[in-house]
Amino acid sequence: MQNPPEALEAQIRVVLAEPNPLVVSALGMCFKGDQRFRLVATTESGADILAMPEEDMDVVVLSWQLSDMTAPDVLRALKARQSKLRTTIFSNSRDLGHVRQAVRLGALGYCYQFDDPSVLFDTLHAVANGRLCVPYIDVTQINDTPLAHLTVRERELLAVLARGWTNQQIANRTGISENTVKYHLKNLYDKLDVRNRAMAVAVYSREAED
């Protein structure tokens, strides 16, 4: 028995970007069993996602590693063009760093590939309605990064370190002594749990890339 047109129009249109054909096949069967969704296209390519008309889909499910790019690459491209497309990451890793990166780049959902399919579908339903959904992870941890604990002054100091400023340059530009600069740097390193400016800049760069 076919669904009436009204039900089809109400279904959430999903595009799946996944390079593993076995995963694609398994999820395709699962989608057929959940009338909330309609799987409208599958691809293994991030470039295909970026080329598709956004009005033809409601939610995109992105594998962390696609055939031609990573999920963060796709999210960055979508963010650069100020896309409103709603995305969910479908990953084989629960790495909190991956979750943080994905959410900061605009993903609304993040699911583990080995969870029950119902977890993914409930996540997609929430994402399609504009809600952030990251099952089994405390969302308050997403923004709990080393930089989140820095003061405004310490963030400014870290930014100029990333530009290559020396202690003397920082002292001259800010009107404080070089010893005071060293004191602030020590506090900064302690908060970031690093030993030197190169390691501090590396932490800053990772956050900036996200």
Side-chain angles (χ1 to χ4, degrees), residues 84-118:
K84 301 298 182 184
L85 188 60
R86 292 169 177 171
T87 55
T88 292
I89 303 302
F90 191 55
S91 175
N92 61 4
S93 170
R94 292 189 189 273
D95 187 292
L96 187 57
H98 285 185
V99 179
R100 286 171 176 157
Q101 184 180 28
V103 171
R104 287 179 196 158
L105 288 172
L108 286 179
Y110 190 104
C111 283
Y112 184 53
Q113 286 187 356
F114 301 106
D115 283 334
D116 189 90
S118 63

Side-chain angles (χ1 to χ4, degrees), residues 124-201:
L124 291 179
H125 191 266
V127 168
N129 287 282
R131 300 196 300 274
L132 176 67
C133 187
V134 184
Y136 310 123
I137 292 179
D138 183 355
V139 293
T140 62
Q141 295 181 28
I142 294 174
N143 292 319
D144 186 21
T145 66
L147 267 60
H149 300 282
L150 301 183
T151 65
V152 173
R153 175 59 65 88
E154 287 166 341
R155 284 173 177 268
E156 293 172 349
L157 180 58
L158 187 54
V160 297
L161 286 183
R163 295 188 198 121
W165 287 21
T166 65
N167 290 358
Q168 187 61 58
Q169 286 175 312
I170 295 171
N172 292 341
R173 303 280 181 98
T174 58
I176 60 178
S177 71
E178 193 168 353
N179 283 338
T180 302
V181 171
K182 291 177 181 178
Y183 171 78
H184 286 309
L185 286 176
K186 181 182 181 304
N187 288 340
L188 178 64
Y189 298 161
D190 288 344
K191 284 190 177 182
L192 295 178
D193 193 25
V194 298
R195 296 189 300 273
N196 53 51
R197 73 173 57 209
M199 295 174 69
V201 169

Side-chain angles (χ1 to χ4, degrees), residues 41-91:
T42 65
T43 179
E44 62 180 25
S45 164
D48 284 349
I49 295 297
L50 297 174
M52 289 180 185
E54 293 187 12
E55 60 270 19
D56 292 347
M57 48 190 162
D58 299 311
V59 181
V60 174
V61 180
L62 288 174
S63 173
W64 188 261
Q65 181 63 60
L66 299 167
S67 63
D68 55 352
M69 61 182 73
T70 65
D73 292 331
V74 177
L75 293 173
R76 287 189 188 96
L78 291 172
K79 188 174 184 179
R81 70 189 193 196
Q82 299 182 322
S83 169
K84 301 298 182 184
L85 188 60
R86 292 169 177 171
T87 55
T88 292
I89 303 302
F90 191 55
S91 175

Side-chain angles (χ1 to χ4, degrees), residues 14-32 39-45 61-63 65-67 90 113 117 120-121:
V14 180
V15 171
L16 172 62
E18 166 60 58
N20 187 327
L22 295 178
V23 174
V24 173
S25 177
L27 283 179
M29 294 180 64
C30 292
F31 274 114
K32 288 179 181 178
L39 184 61
V40 297
T42 65
T43 179
E44 62 180 25
S45 164
V61 180
L62 288 174
S63 173
Q65 181 63 60
L66 299 167
S67 63
F90 191 55
Q113 286 187 356
L120 172 64
F121 293 158

